[in-house]
Amino acid sequence: MSKIFQHAAARAVLVAAAVAVLPGHARAQGFPDEAVHAQRLVMLVRQGMSGKTAQAAAGLDMLVAQDELCRPAADARCQRPLILALGASGEMHAHLGQIDLALDRLARALDVYQADVPGLGVKTYPTLFNTMAALCAIHHRETRVLPYLRAALRDPGTDRMRDRWFRQGAWQRLGQLAVATGDVATAEAALSRAVDERIALIGVDYPGTNVVGNWRASDGDLTMFRNQQQRKFESDAYLALGNSLVLGDGQEAPPPVPDVSWAGTGVNTAIAMLVDLYRDQHRVDDLVALYDGRFAEYARRERARALPGGYADLEAEYARFAAAFGAARRWPLARAALAQALRLNAGRVSAESAAVPADQLVAAFATRRALTDLQLSLYLASGADPGDWPELAGNILQNKGAVAVMQARRAAVLRHTPYAEERWQGKFLDLFEPLDSLDDFKYAMATSRQLQARLAARIAPLEFEDGRAFATRMRSVLGKERFLSVSLVEPYDVDRRRRGARRYLGMLLDGSTLRLADLGPARDIDAQLLALWTLLARPPASDGAAADAMRAARAAYRAVLAPLLGPDAPAGDYVADLDGKLAGLPLDAFAGADERYLIDHGNWRYVSSARALLAPAGPARPGPALVVAGVDYDAPLSDDYYPQDDKPIVAGSRRARMQGMRLSPLPQAQDEGQIVLDALRRGGVPATLLAGAAASAEALEAVHGPRILHVATHGLYLRFPVAEERTGPFGGTVVIEHSAAYRNGALALAAANATLATGKGGGIMYASQLQHLDLDGTELVVLSACQSGTGVAGAGEAADSLRQAVEIAGAQSSISALWEVPDGGTRDLMAALYDGLGAGRRRDDALRAAKLGVKKRLPHPFYWAPFVLGGARSGE
């Protein structure tokens, strides 16, 4: 059902349409009172929308039976009620999975039209036909709808906008159905006609809303409508990205994330289908003729209009040509077509980046990664010249971490906005707990979109440049450092026309070298990384634990780093940008063939994206440092209002699961705070200590750009997906488990235990709140808290960790922990770190020296490896 009507709102419009189409008439000559009929239809459709689909279907069937009794009179007062009732009944039966009955109802509605309604003058025919055609395509009943389609195309119709667009779509649908039935000649003729009609309709207003009884002009032609539709698809896909579906039998289904990229099933334009037809028939000359002929004319006319929203279909069609040319081994044409697709995508996604909230841009940036995955596949298959690899490398690198870049830009605008309403709305979203139910999650998304609409004009959009130029700029800023990037990619098989399993792609870049390596299937490498993490993140339990950790560290090195660095890593400083499971591991705990951990070879620091290295550093603030330690977790709640305070705690929600937690004092963290405070003052840095009940979220929010921020407290990683039962798309019960980015990592502050117990107050500060602190000009944030560097890292995006949050808030660099660490070891490492900073060492040098000091006493990586340096600046 959801594949036919994408949104429940469509049915709501159907309700309104029923009232609008059926004017009231008094009962006369045995005809039904149309006003009463409309009210009945509205009631039944609403009943179906509320989940009582079976009852609604039964009621609609009764309504159909009554209308059929009066139809022989051949009066419009019978025809229209019957047609609407049949259409609604067909929809309800489709929703119940009763496909044959649904098709019978829709076919009957179309029969009434063909018998009683001349031409295409009645508004609902195109929609009823499209609904039936979609249902037939889903369930492979194409032949059932073909007679109606041919009949519609035999009618000359009119020059009205609605009829012209319907005919173009009908030719396209005929071509699609002919392809499915193997009728190549009909398919080619119909799709060619649809292409010609599409070119003729460039600039002609498109009837954008297509539901029963309601056609209206959109704000532009089909291109503009599809741009809006693609933006909505991409932003709505964020909701699916945060959910997984558990079927009624307990089996987990794949996450319901729609593929909205060029390779997705939604790209079914006439041109795309004609490309596929020629490709499958190995008619390469016809494919080239289409590309150089009608498609070139179509693309020229489209792009001449310079639409600010881009060209979503044209972008996907160029990519489809690129894949088809790749299958035909026409490599120059494939690369040229893909270059056009990348260029169009850059303009469209750039415009979208400022208009859509950053956390809802995940799918938009995924559409771009799908293009660079195709580019990678074409390069590998064609044996590209090494001189061309910088272009690919630059495209891949500037795609990564794009969401974090836009989150930082939005956060910066909110920090400096002069409008109190915007600041409050931003704070509301930071504090709002959207995981009590799926509806709360949707509400938070909608609120965020409203705020984004106000901020959009002040947020700089994300720009994409030529890949080769980006790689050149990267080299210019690296100096003596080596940049190591590992990305999750999904190569596209141009011969089988499908995406392959995820793989890791490694890249090494420095002033003179560019090296790319296919590291292998992500599933195999992830298994090795998980084995290593398990040995690193747990205290050694036996005398052989150190040897076990070394073996796992060597195996991980061979799998991930050896193809890029050789059997042993060269000495020097490294900057790393990592994807997937690799983002949760410290690379200096890997080991080469010499059985030495990489910390012995040089410094390592981590960035969320290559773009971070190219961003200009903001001015440092010479203000005092701030140290937060000795937190009183048992302090009473403050009187400040938090949005979740008024909400009841829902059973199974994250707040309910947190109620059983209780945090103990950290006396050694209090000692650590005093040690850090003394070290800063010895180094000439004024510092303030927040402790006890004063170490609160309100106090942190009031701080503006401390030179250094050090927080010693409990770090929490609260990834509790919320399970919620919902009615399935075809009946039955499913369980949706949903979560939200930057609501997993948290710091425990004053009154934390009261917040855990009651779900109220600000004793727990989530990463979503940290990213809106004012840390502009802050040189270093040290999160001396367990798992402060842990988060969920999606393909091409930074982990939603506390570390990432403070960098979004403006901090130049951060130090965080990847797993739970013992208090005493943390205190000693922090003392050594600040002694090094006080002596004038760079941040990376000071952290490495402190870790090496711990390593001499406690050689197992569990003790010295968890703390990592992140950020674009190492403290030069």
Side-chain angles (χ1 to χ4, degrees):
M1 180 60 198
S2 59
K3 295 180 180 179
I4 304 169
F5 288 84
Q6 295 294 326
H7 304 287
R11 293 196 294 276
V13 178
L14 185 150
V15 172
V19 177
V21 171
L22 300 177
H25 291 288
R27 181 178 296 274
Q29 303 177 15
F31 296 128
D33 187 322
E34 289 188 284
V36 174
H37 188 284
Q39 293 171 3
R40 179 93 179 275
L41 185 62
V42 167
M43 180 191 70
L44 290 170
V45 171
R46 284 177 175 164
Q47 186 179 35
M49 291 170 60
S50 69
K52 299 178 180 178
T53 315
Q55 297 94 315
L60 287 166
D61 288 344
M62 292 181 60
L63 197 61
V64 167
Q66 295 170 7
D67 293 343
E68 288 280 14
L69 293 175
C70 114
R71 181 183 172 272
D75 189 285
R77 285 172 292 177
C78 290
Q79 295 161 0
R80 290 180 177 178
L82 175 59
I83 290 168
L84 285 173
L86 285 165
S89 175
E91 179 191 353
M92 292 300 166
H93 285 295
H95 189 64
L96 292 170
Q98 300 166 351
I99 305 306
D100 290 330
L101 189 54
L103 290 175
D104 288 344
R105 292 286 188 268
L106 293 168
R108 176 65 177 153
L110 293 172
D111 287 340
V112 173
Y113 262 110
Q114 291 184 353
D116 297 341
V117 181
L120 299 176
V122 178
K123 296 179 179 181
T124 50
Y125 185 92
T127 297
L128 288 172
F129 166 75
N130 287 333
T131 301
M132 185 175 181
L135 197 60
C136 288
I138 292 169
H139 295 281
H140 307 291
R141 315 278 181 89
E142 290 85 358
T143 55
R144 183 82 187 264
V145 77
L146 277 172
Y148 301 103
L149 182 54
R150 295 182 188 278
L153 288 172
R154 282 195 299 268
D155 191 293
T158 71
D159 279 337
R160 287 186 300 177
M161 170 192 69
R162 171 171 45 82
D163 290 354
R164 291 181 66 188
W165 277 113
F166 172 68
R167 294 182 64 78
Q168 189 274 338
W171 283 114
Q172 181 172 311
R173 178 72 73 178
L174 176 60
Q176 184 180 23
L177 295 176
V179 168
T181 57
D183 187 349
V184 175
T186 299
E188 182 177 9
L191 291 174
S192 296
R193 179 69 180 271
V195 171
D196 292 339
E197 295 274 5
R198 176 71 184 89
I199 294 172
L201 287 168
I202 290 177
V204 176
D205 283 349
Y206 178 70
T209 302
N210 179 7
V211 291
V212 173
N214 186 34
W215 285 83
R216 67 172 177 81
S218 63
D219 296 329
D221 69 350
L222 179 60
T223 301
M224 299 173 73
F225 174 78
R226 278 287 296 119
N227 289 342
Q228 298 164 6
Q229 189 180 54
Q230 181 73 6
R231 176 176 293 184
K232 181 170 179 56
F233 285 166
E234 288 175 345
S235 59
D236 283 352
Y238 170 71
L239 178 62
L241 285 164
N243 295 288
S244 62
L245 188 67
V246 180
L247 303 180
D249 59 2
Q251 297 296 314
E252 185 169 357
V257 182
D259 183 355
V260 294
S261 74
W262 70 271
T265 56
V267 183
N268 58 351
T269 67
I271 290 172
M273 287 188 282
L274 200 53
V275 168
D276 291 344
L277 178 68
Y278 289 153
R279 175 198 178 283
D280 293 341
Q281 295 289 314
H282 305 289
R283 295 164 58 180
V284 180
D285 291 342
D286 290 331
L287 183 67
V288 174
L290 175 65
Y291 183 73
D292 291 336
R294 282 178 294 170
F295 179 71
E297 172 63 16
Y298 160 66
R300 183 192 65 77
R301 291 180 59 182
E302 281 279 55
R303 299 177 74 169
R305 297 188 294 157
L307 299 178
Y311 311 84
D313 281 346
L314 187 60
E315 167 194 320
E317 288 159 351
Y318 268 118
R320 194 68 69 90
F321 269 111
F325 286 137
R329 304 305 187 259
R330 297 292 186 93
W331 304 119
L333 282 171
R335 292 186 192 175
L338 185 58
Q340 294 289 351
L342 283 165
R343 194 170 295 117
L344 289 170
N345 175 270
R348 184 178 65 81
V349 174
S350 178
E352 192 169 337
S353 66
V356 176
D359 56 358
Q360 297 174 33
L361 285 168
V362 175
F365 294 135
T367 63
R368 183 162 184 84
R369 284 198 302 277
L371 291 174
T372 53
D373 285 348
L374 175 59
Q375 186 180 32
L376 170 65
S377 304
L378 294 176
Y379 273 48
L380 292 174
S382 65
D385 185 274
D388 293 332
W389 288 105
E391 178 188 359
L392 172 65
N395 284 335
I396 292 175
L397 289 177
Q398 63 183 316
N399 289 347
K400 295 188 68 177
V403 169
V405 172
M406 295 311 300
Q407 284 172 323
R409 293 182 183 179
R410 169 165 150 152
V413 170
L414 280 173
R415 283 197 298 274
H416 302 294
T417 180
Y419 304 109
E421 182 181 353
E422 291 176 355
R423 287 196 299 273
W424 167 247
Q425 199 168 18
K427 183 176 181 180
F428 175 84
L429 287 169
D430 295 342
L431 297 174
F432 183 75
E433 176 55 77
L435 298 180
D436 282 350
S437 72
L438 189 59
D439 291 334
D440 284 350
F441 193 7
K442 292 178 180 179
Y443 175 74
M445 286 179 61
T447 304
S448 185
R449 289 176 184 174
Q450 294 171 5
L451 177 60
Q452 188 76 17
R454 295 188 56 160
L455 303 177
R458 288 168 276 162
I459 297 176
L462 195 69
E463 300 294 340
F464 295 91
E465 60 184 288
D466 174 76
R468 193 181 301 272
F470 189 88
T472 300
R473 286 211 296 142
M474 280 287 297
R475 281 190 168 125
S476 68
V477 302
L478 284 174
K480 296 181 179 180
E481 290 181 311
R482 294 181 176 89
F483 183 79
L484 188 144
S485 177
V486 179
S487 305
L488 279 168
V489 296
E490 293 183 37
Y492 186 83
D493 188 328
V494 295
D495 295 322
R496 297 183 179 181
R497 207 163 73 189
R498 67 184 186 191
R499 294 186 182 186
R502 282 186 171 184
R503 304 179 72 84
Y504 278 110
L505 176 73
M507 188 185 309
L508 181 68
L509 182 69
D510 60 25
S512 60
T513 303
L514 171 62
R515 186 175 301 155
L516 285 89
D518 177 6
L519 303 179
R523 176 179 296 181
D524 297 342
I525 293 176
D526 284 347
Q528 289 182 294
L529 298 177
L530 179 59
L532 176 60
W533 188 90
T534 301
L535 292 169
L536 295 182
R538 295 177 181 173
S542 67
D543 294 338
D548 292 341
M550 175 57 71
R551 279 192 294 271
R554 288 189 60 191
Y557 181 93
R558 286 193 300 271
V560 177
L561 300 183
L564 300 170
L565 301 176
D568 291 304
D573 295 338
Y574 293 85
V575 183
D577 169 19
L578 308 174
D579 259 9
K581 294 287 191 292
L582 201 58
L585 284 165
L587 294 187
D588 58 4
F590 286 39
D594 60 0
E595 296 195 355
R596 297 174 60 201
Y597 288 112
L598 297 192
I599 192 171
D600 296 328
H601 294 263
N603 293 315
W604 287 85
R605 64 185 171 96
Y606 305 86
V607 293
S608 60
S609 71
R611 289 176 178 270
L613 296 174
L614 299 176
R621 292 182 179 176
L626 177 66
V627 178
V628 179
V631 179
D632 182 359
Y633 305 119
D634 293 319
L637 290 171
S638 71
D639 294 331
D640 282 16
Y641 170 75
Y642 289 84
Q644 71 266 25
D645 287 357
D646 293 337
K647 295 176 58 183
I649 296 180
V650 179
S653 69
R654 176 158 56 176
R655 288 196 294 157
R657 299 188 195 191
M658 289 166 59
Q659 281 186 304
M661 298 174 60
R662 184 169 181 81
L663 302 176
S664 301
L666 293 174
Q668 297 200 53
Q670 186 167 359
D671 296 342
E672 175 188 323
Q674 190 61 52
I675 290 170
V676 170
L677 190 70
D678 294 341
L680 287 168
R681 290 171 176 171
R682 285 197 305 272
V685 179
T688 302
L689 176 66
L690 283 178
S696 65
E698 296 86 352
L700 270 182
E701 289 170 354
V703 171
H704 298 287
R707 181 174 173 182
I708 293 174
L709 173 61
H710 183 102
V711 182
T713 187
H714 283 293
L716 306 176
Y717 187 60
L718 304 168
R719 194 163 192 253
F720 298 146
V722 177
E724 184 175 6
E725 289 192 357
R726 291 272 175 139
T727 301
F730 295 102
T733 299
V734 298
V735 176
I736 298 176
E737 293 185 347
H738 44 94
S739 59
Y742 290 96
R743 300 308 203 287
N744 300 315
L747 294 176
L749 297 172
N753 283 328
T755 294
L756 291 172
T758 66
K760 298 180 178 181
I764 302 296
M765 179 174 263
Y766 290 109
S768 59
Q769 296 164 259
L770 282 174
Q771 67 182 355
H772 288 295
L773 296 180
D774 182 4
L775 300 180
D776 285 336
T778 297
E779 297 175 8
L780 175 65
V781 174
V782 179
L783 298 173
S784 182
C786 296
Q787 297 179 290
S788 51
T790 301
V792 179
E797 298 299 341
D800 60 344
S801 63
L802 297 170
R803 180 188 88 194
Q804 183 61 33
V806 297
E807 292 176 19
I808 288 173
Q812 295 179 7
S813 60
S814 65
I815 293 174
S816 58
L818 295 174
W819 55 76
E820 295 183 8
V821 291
D823 295 344
T826 301
R827 179 194 58 200
D828 296 342
L829 185 142
M830 291 301 165
L833 167 69
Y834 281 95
D835 284 342
L837 293 174
R841 286 182 171 177
R842 299 189 323 180
R843 297 161 208 156
D844 52 359
D845 286 332
L847 178 60
R848 177 171 175 250
K851 293 170 74 170
L852 286 172
V854 175
K855 180 172 174 284
K856 286 180 181 178
R857 295 184 293 106
L858 300 167
H860 193 285
F862 169 76
Y863 298 103
W864 55 264
F867 284 100
V868 293
L869 175 67
R873 303 291 177 264
S874 60
E876 299 82 355

